[in-house]
Amino acid sequence: MKFSTTDPASEPASILYARCTVDLKSGSMHTEDVPCRNLEDVLGGFGRSFQILSERQINTAYCEENPLIVNTGLLTGSSAMTGMRTYFSGYSPLKESKKGLPAAMWSTGSGNFGVKLKWTGLDELVFEGRSPKPVYAVIRDSPEGPVVELKPADHLVGLSTHAKIMALQKEYSNAHFAAIGQAGEQWENVYFGAVGLSTDNQLKSGEDKMRFAGRGGMGSLMGYKNILALVAQSSNKIKPLTPEVKAVNINVVKGGGAARLQPISRGGGGGTWAAYDVLQAFHAVPVNNFRPQGNDLPEKLFREHVEKQFMIKSEACYRCGITCHNNIHEKSEDGSAGSFLAKFDYEPLNLLGTNIGIHDARQAARLIHLSDNYGMDSISLGVTISYVLSYNERHPEQPLLNGATFGDFVKIEELITQTGRGKLLEIGRGSKRLSEITGETSYAYHVKGLEIAAYQPETNPGYAWAIAGGHMSMGTYGLLTREGKSDIDSWVTGITQTKLQIVGFDMIGLCKFFDITKGICTQMVVDCLKSEFNLEVTTENLAAAVRRAFLRGLALELRQGYEKGEYTLPAEVWEQPNPNIKLPNITNPEFMAELQKRVWAVFEPEMAGLLPEIE
């Protein structure tokens, strides 16, 4: 980016970002420096890409007019801790309104691909059209500026995410990679394909320790466009660490936001895996398609039990002091780490474990491994499978597919394998579409076509207004369980004010663990922007930009045909209240009706004028 001002909120046009538009059909490229329209453009990520998407009328995700936008945030590639994020945006093949129109969506992941992309000199790639043949894109720095090339990808066809990355590593040194798996290649039958992002640990060890941009099917959109992988090749261009950013980084590691995510050996909870312990206290860990049974089954996958059989290694992203990853290895006879099995984060472990009746760590690791290597979003995959299992439990005389039931590892493994290969469109197109086919929609656990994360909807009515996944774009998942808020005023304030601010991380290039409790509107972020770019930004500036970006996303949903009745939870929540969840019932029809009334009363007036007119 090029800066000719220190005041991005008042003079955004004095800041230029480098964009390359790639016409996949002709292979032509156009690189330009684009003036920012507002602070959202300056910050980047979905705050910028949603403005591009709002200029288009898209009626189906798989069309040449639907772009795939790959960009970074302002602090991606900086010396600020966690500044490694890459964003993939477009109209989603998975998330759709009842009118059948696709919703704008973004997905994000860490790894070092985003850092390398930023260091090439590009801030954004826009892929237009569709390539007639499989290709991969190489983005590299040069003395003349960033260079983008399309290359034949025939040798990558049919490989897993990990195998694609390792194959490209042999061809390109000093590079990082983004790749889809077989699921993304089978885009017609898999709508939740993910993008695997390489890590230093992966490239050095040869183990499939990737990060993922998973939500909403951006890997499937990438597959539709016939782009199998991206290569970002650049020298190291990180700036020297200043005293101001060093102080911020220390605060990130030791402060309240990330402290509970640190390894147990450092006094933390051991990453997101610790959510099992927190939620089990209320019997609110999802079990058997989000129906907790009030027993101790979830405890079988508590860390303390898993580590008796396996070696657990806590590791971090490159240059990050938040050692939140829990990589599971076989345990050798001498107690050392053997072969790598999978990475245990709360979402995939629950949704490909406890919530489908799998309580064995080895079996859960196998299913996570399959999901990662086929390149599928573990949330959408796991929740859609749990719907199948729930349907089969209700209809043993006429089950779906192979008749799999909760806990049937062999048949569930078969479902995942066949879905990843594009053989089971019933699962690959998500729970919304499948439930509409069966006619039993009440226990399909999605909101607005996007499967919910591993937090009981009974504990999180904020899911209804999330614009890109309930726990990633609306931070209300702990409002009841962690903060004890059950009154309507707290929930209106959370949804319309404080908790929507979590989406700011998906603009600026930072991981949410930078300060998961407050969002980006902190003095720490202000200090980083001043130190890294000499920008004078206030927390109020940041809060206003994040809010506009969120409301723009909400307005885009309404323009794509969503009706207010779709801003709700799966009907089973109030049709069959679960007495096993030991928390106040805040998702009864009366509470939800009042919440909808009051939330829209806040949001609607502010949404006017946020979207451009389109023909």
Side-chain angles (χ1 to χ4, degrees), residues 449-498:
L450 190 66
E451 285 70 26
I452 69 173
Y455 298 90
Q456 288 294 139
E458 290 92 336
T459 71
N460 188 14
Y463 272 132
W465 286 273
I467 58 174
H471 70 312
M472 301 303 286
S473 60
M474 175 57 71
T476 51
Y477 50 84
L479 193 54
L480 179 65
T481 57
R482 291 186 181 275
E483 300 179 38
K485 303 296 186 183
S486 59
D487 62 287
I488 191 76
D489 289 341
S490 292
W491 276 89
V492 172
T493 299
I495 292 169
T496 63
Q497 299 291 335
T498 57

Side-chain angles (χ1 to χ4, degrees), residues 290-367:
F290 296 90
R291 298 300 287 178
Q293 300 164 8
N295 55 32
D296 61 359
L297 277 175
E299 297 175 21
K300 292 186 177 183
L301 286 178
F302 276 18
R303 182 192 182 105
E304 63 187 87
H305 299 306
V306 174
E307 64 186 356
K308 293 175 183 178
Q309 184 180 1
F310 301 99
M311 176 61 67
I312 303 173
K313 298 179 68 175
S314 294
E315 298 174 336
C317 288
Y318 181 64
R319 294 191 296 106
C320 182
I322 308 172
T323 311
C324 64
H325 303 150
N326 290 287
N327 291 318
I328 311 303
H329 294 253
E330 296 281 11
K331 185 181 289 186
S332 302
E333 290 184 4
D334 62 1
S336 62
S339 59
F340 173 69
L341 297 177
K343 174 172 164 276
F344 275 10
D345 282 323
Y346 173 63
E347 305 296 336
L349 180 59
N350 178 266
L351 298 175
L352 292 174
T354 313
N355 199 43
I356 56 175
I358 298 295
H359 307 288
D360 177 273
R362 183 181 298 279
Q363 292 179 351
R366 171 62 179 165
L367 301 183

Side-chain angles (χ1 to χ4, degrees), residues 423-442:
K423 304 297 184 183
L424 289 181
L425 60 85
E426 296 89 344
I427 293 176
R429 293 183 178 178
S431 60
K432 175 181 181 290
R433 292 168 176 83
L434 179 56
S435 69
E436 289 170 348
I437 292 171
T438 66
E440 299 187 15
T441 59
S442 67

Side-chain angles (χ1 to χ4, degrees), residues 71-270:
N71 63 16
T72 54
L74 183 55
L75 287 173
T76 301
S78 71
S79 58
M81 190 165 290
T82 81
M84 307 179 74
R85 306 293 267 181
T86 314
Y87 307 105
F88 297 80
S89 303
Y91 280 90
S92 168
L94 181 69
K95 185 185 174 190
E96 66 166 7
S97 66
K98 287 184 179 179
K99 292 184 178 179
L101 297 177
M105 185 72 191
W106 81 89
S107 189
T108 180
S110 292
N112 250 0
F113 174 79
V115 173
K116 287 286 187 178
L117 177 61
K118 191 67 166 281
W119 289 346
T120 67
L122 274 185
D123 299 297
E124 188 163 86
L125 280 160
V126 180
F127 291 101
E128 301 279 11
R130 183 169 187 253
S131 173
K133 296 180 180 179
V135 296
Y136 68 95
V138 179
I139 310 99
R140 57 182 175 83
D141 62 350
S142 77
E144 292 75 36
V147 176
V148 181
E149 299 175 273
L150 295 178
K151 298 198 173 186
D154 303 83
H155 63 303
L156 302 177
V157 173
L159 298 181
S160 70
T161 50
H162 178 61
K164 283 186 176 74
I165 288 171
M166 298 311 291
L168 288 168
Q169 185 197 24
K170 296 177 181 178
E171 300 180 51
Y172 298 94
S173 61
N174 207 16
H176 271 270
F177 313 92
I180 63 173
Q182 299 98 317
E185 293 180 38
Q186 300 297 324
W187 50 270
E188 291 176 289
N189 291 333
V190 183
Y191 289 179
F192 46 72
V195 184
L197 302 168
S198 65
T199 66
D200 283 73
N201 199 335
Q202 176 190 20
L203 300 183
K204 291 176 182 177
S205 69
E207 298 166 334
D208 52 324
K209 296 177 178 177
M210 296 161 283
R211 304 294 170 258
F212 286 91
R215 306 251 57 199
M218 294 301 103
S220 297
L221 180 57
M222 195 165 155
Y224 162 75
K225 290 184 172 294
N226 247 337
I227 308 169
L228 303 193
L230 306 173
V231 178
Q233 189 177 39
S234 171
S235 57
N236 187 334
K237 296 180 182 178
I238 193 167
K239 295 180 180 179
L241 188 64
T242 66
E244 294 79 9
V245 176
K246 181 179 180 180
V248 167
N249 290 347
I250 292 172
N251 195 17
V252 169
V253 173
K254 296 185 177 181
R260 64 184 175 84
L261 299 163
Q262 292 286 2
I264 292 173
S265 61
R266 297 184 196 168

